[in-house]
Amino acid sequence: MDVRIPKKMKAVVCHGPHDYRLEEIPVPQVGDGDVLVKVKACGICAGDVKSRAGASMFWGDEIQPPYNKPPVVAGHEFFGTVVALGKGAKEKHGLDIGDTVTAEQIVPCGKCRFCRNGSYWMCEVHNIHGFQREVADGGMAEYVRLSDRDIIHKVPESITGYNGAIIEPLACAVHSVERAQIRFGDVVVIGGLGPIGLLKLQLARLKNPGLLIGIDLREKRLELGKELGADIVLNPLEDDVKQRVMEVTDGYGCDVYIHNTGNPKGVIQGLQILRKLGTFVEFSVFTEPTTVDWSIIGDRKELNIYGAHLSPYTYPIAIDFLAKGLVKGEPIITHSFPLEQWEEAFTMAEEGTESIKVVLVP
Ligand SMILES: [Zn+2]
Ligand SMILES: [Zn+2]
């Protein structure tokens, strides 16, 4: 195949909150163990939108600095074709020129306590494509360099169109749903039907719950939730969610609540509608702190509260489910834009009224 690689490329570069720019930058050089990938598409994540908006972490009254370390090429939901392999990369990653690949969003340091005990997704250094440049840039560019520390997965031909860009969020969704330990017959509620919520909904369906309920504020997303397997969809702007959930659970509440909205109201809603001894999985990134009476968790309901972060060991499952059509990416990827229209694409992803998942196509 023809693998002529230009010297320069277009990329969406994050220079800090509120300062993303389309730039022409050098195509990265491959060093030992590196892989150069020509990007086919890169999804815009809620994390990208929040990074651009300057999202910080709250720790009591103390606000942590933004999590991106500029300058860095944005984007972690990318896939593409291998066009160059550094020395030893073919053996190290088991790849050939022309393979279609994606890489896990985190590039583990391999040295910290978490990496060494196998909990690489919680790596203390925490370099993620598109947020921290120390090891590698992101995929909102014509090319992305993957390092020898990257965890690279082949994308089979049966994953068509831009569906390769949904592997990362799907892998995260798999982890969240696994954390929920859904049992046959459970009443499962998915709070928030954005891209990741709709993926979790499809995955939760595969667990054969007794009843699958989706909650969102937008009618379009609720309709799609029904199409993708929800038995009941509820809109808190119109429905009394607590009352409806109690009606269908003989007044006990749901067994499992998986939360994705990033809105404190969604947390409180979950704590209200869960039954005693129920399970709450939190995946969201918030832009403000949540205030709630914690006695609900212990004294009142003895809940299981599980966090979920990234996608440990779940990329192969995500790829397999997409390849087999057990999870559908087409209804989720609603819009694609060329890199030049990144700003329009980000705005559309942020508003989320028209779109579910927006991808950039170099
Ligand atoms: Zn993502
Ligand atoms: Zn580490």
Side-chain angles (χ1 to χ4, degrees):
M1 68 180 280
D2 184 7
V3 287
R4 259 176 303 159
I5 299 158
K7 294 258 182 303
K8 295 252 180 186
M9 66 174 189
K10 289 193 193 89
V12 178
V13 182
C14 159
H15 287 274
H18 312 288
D19 190 7
Y20 279 49
R21 302 173 207 163
L22 180 74
E23 291 181 350
E24 199 164 73
I25 60 169
V27 171
Q29 301 282 320
V30 284
D32 290 356
D34 288 352
V35 178
L36 189 68
V37 172
K38 191 173 194 309
V39 177
K40 285 190 173 169
C42 182
I44 300 174
C45 182
D48 296 314
V49 170
K50 284 172 184 166
S51 160
R52 186 169 172 233
S56 302
M57 195 172 73
F58 303 91
W59 191 259
D61 292 334
E62 191 187 316
I63 299 174
Q64 304 289 311
Y67 53 79
N68 50 36
K69 290 186 200 146
V72 58
V73 177
H76 59 272
E77 302 182 356
F78 56 84
F79 78 111
T81 313
V82 175
V83 290
L85 290 160
K87 198 175 151 210
K90 180 184 166 79
E91 297 75 23
K92 156 96 198 185
H93 301 288
L95 294 175
D96 282 308
I97 302 285
D99 283 345
T100 304
V101 295
T102 186
E104 298 203 12
Q105 68 294 81
I106 193 160
V107 187
C109 80
K111 290 181 188 147
C112 74
R113 176 169 166 179
F114 298 111
C115 282
R116 278 187 288 118
N117 75 10
S119 307
Y120 73 92
W121 72 103
M122 296 311 295
C123 174
E124 193 65 14
V125 183
H126 226 73
N127 277 312
I128 294 191
H129 280 287
F131 295 123
Q132 298 91 12
R133 176 178 255 177
E134 274 142 66
V135 184
D137 269 311
M140 291 183 188
E142 289 173 80
Y143 294 87
V144 61
R145 181 185 67 88
L146 306 177
S147 75
D148 61 343
R149 294 214 306 268
D150 264 280
I151 307 169
I152 304 174
H153 300 274
K154 280 193 204 177
V155 179
E157 273 171 22
S158 48
I159 296 179
T160 53
Y162 297 137
N163 277 350
I166 216 98
I167 293 170
E168 190 273 343
L170 180 58
C172 292
V174 170
H175 179 51
S176 276
V177 171
E178 293 282 55
R179 292 284 276 167
Q181 299 167 56
I182 297 166
R183 297 167 59 119
F184 297 130
D186 274 356
V187 176
V188 176
V189 177
I190 310 287
L193 299 178
I196 208 124
L198 289 165
L199 292 169
K200 287 176 189 173
L201 187 87
Q202 296 184 64
L203 291 164
R205 183 81 266 162
L206 296 174
K207 299 269 185 185
N208 286 309
L211 211 51
L212 185 54
I213 303 172
I215 304 178
D216 204 280
L217 300 172
R218 300 175 181 128
E219 279 310 316
K220 237 182 181 164
R221 295 182 174 205
L222 294 171
E223 276 166 34
L224 197 47
K226 277 225 113 162
E227 273 171 43
L228 293 172
D231 300 302
I232 300 170
V233 291
L234 300 172
N235 184 342
L237 298 176
E238 290 162 15
D239 303 299
D240 184 332
V241 170
K242 188 178 173 200
Q243 192 192 327
R244 291 292 307 280
V245 171
M246 292 305 159
E247 272 168 21
V248 294
T249 56
D250 299 328
Y252 287 103
C254 63
D255 302 282
V256 173
Y257 181 78
I258 302 175
H259 183 230
N260 325 292
T261 71
N263 187 329
K265 283 183 186 156
V267 178
I268 294 161
Q269 169 182 266
L271 295 171
Q272 279 178 340
I273 64 175
L274 269 169
R275 66 159 164 81
K276 290 176 182 173
L277 302 170
T279 296
F280 190 122
V281 178
E282 182 56 73
F283 178 82
S284 317
V285 176
F286 292 80
T287 49
E288 53 182 315
T290 302
T291 305
V292 66
D293 179 356
W294 265 53
S295 46
I296 298 165
I297 296 163
D299 186 57
R300 298 272 308 284
K301 291 191 175 180
E302 195 177 311
L303 298 175
N304 305 305
I305 308 277
Y306 291 108
H309 179 58
L310 302 187
S311 46
Y313 305 104
T314 54
Y315 271 68
I317 301 168
I319 290 168
D320 184 46
F321 282 7
L322 269 180
K324 288 177 178 157
L326 290 170
V327 172
K328 292 187 174 33
E330 292 84 4
I332 311 284
I333 303 175
T334 52
H335 293 78
S336 62
F337 288 89
L339 274 185
E340 290 77 4
Q341 281 171 265
W342 70 272
E343 203 161 4
E344 201 181 329
F346 264 68
T347 304
M348 180 176 255
E350 186 169 15
E351 287 169 356
T353 36
E354 289 301 307
S355 66
I356 306 292
K357 174 62 80 183
V358 182
V359 299
L360 290 174
V361 180

